[in-house]
Amino acid sequence: MRLYVLRHGQSEVNSKNIFGGWIDVHLTEKGLQQAKNSAILIKEYCKSQGLELPKVGYTSRLIRTEETINVILKEFSKEPEFHIVSGALPTQRASDGDIFPVYQSWRLNERHYGSWQGQGKHKMLGEYGEEKYMYIRRDYFGKPPKADLNREMVQDFDQGDTGYEFKEPNRHVKYLEEEINHDELPNGESLCDVVQRLNPLLQDMILPSLRDTGDCLIVGHGSTVRSLLKILEGISDSEIKEVNIPNAIPSVIELDDNFKFVRKFYLDPENAKVNAELVRQEGLKG
Ligand SMILES: O=C(O)[C@H](O)COP(=O)(O)O
């Protein structure tokens, strides 16, 4: 059984070196192109191995993952059929004809970056110093300061230093369909928190459905891809600090019939290595 896993293409805030988290921003032109390349990589890999393309998709509830999967499915000549995952997990369907079901969950959203959302990475490095900055970004338990959601819910014209000071003005309506208590939604998370909120989706929906639907395609974010790898590969709390995820380079995770990890590899390992290092250095250089 296989999961094709990737981070979304470059977003507007990635291109400006700004912490994104739950801010709902679009892909850049480069991000759209990266998404297209990732579709080509998956198609070529499947063809070379005599495999069928993945049959079901998962994204977060943030537009950058939806835009990424839209580009990929266009390249697969498939039509997305989006379903928001609400309180009760729906029964998934596999792709049938041109239709490709995509399940969208807040559990796959990027780590909530608290009060760092909308702030420049260089600026936060300057304010916190390198050790604390890297602790918050990469330690398994490192948490940013909490966001003041009352303030963030209010849209006004003072957009602060970066233009992204007002971050989630639609949050109170956006997640209504999930049928979850709003207190459950985060306002500043560590990677450990992300693992805990992602794991139910993985264990109760994504993995059990692999047997019925066939291979799946997951488009997540830096932190949700790190969390998936941590859970499936059994990466330790200290080793996960060194894992950085490049934009839109698919990896294949193979599992045995008992969902035990077999192996993981990138479809473009050289580019993945170079771009993962650039992600690690964000804020530190340039
Ligand atoms: O939320 C963000 O800004 C990024 O997608 C992840 O940022 P990081 O690589 O600095 O954790």
Side-chain angles (χ1 to χ4, degrees), residues 16-21 23 111 113-137 143-147 151-152 160-162 164-165 167 281-285:
K16 295 175 182 161
N17 228 350
I18 289 170
F19 283 103
I23 304 177
R111 167 154 82 118
Y113 246 115
S115 69
W116 283 22
Q117 290 191 169
Q119 302 291 337
K121 294 194 177 184
H122 291 302
K123 184 171 167 218
M124 292 300 101
L125 173 69
E127 281 180 23
Y128 286 75
E130 185 168 336
E131 199 179 321
K132 192 90 208 276
Y133 173 81
M134 284 313 278
Y135 175 80
I136 291 174
R137 277 188 78 211
K143 260 190 213 233
K146 286 201 181 315
R151 184 169 168 266
E152 294 192 18
D161 278 1
T162 61
Y164 292 97
E165 284 284 290
K167 302 148 190 169
Q281 291 174 8
E282 281 172 5
L284 301 175
K285 285 198 177 154

Side-chain angles (χ1 to χ4, degrees), residues 78-95:
K78 295 280 179 189
E79 198 58 48
E81 182 187 78
F82 290 106
H83 303 268
I84 293 172
V85 178
S86 62
L89 300 176
T91 309
Q92 296 96 311
R93 295 200 293 112
S95 176

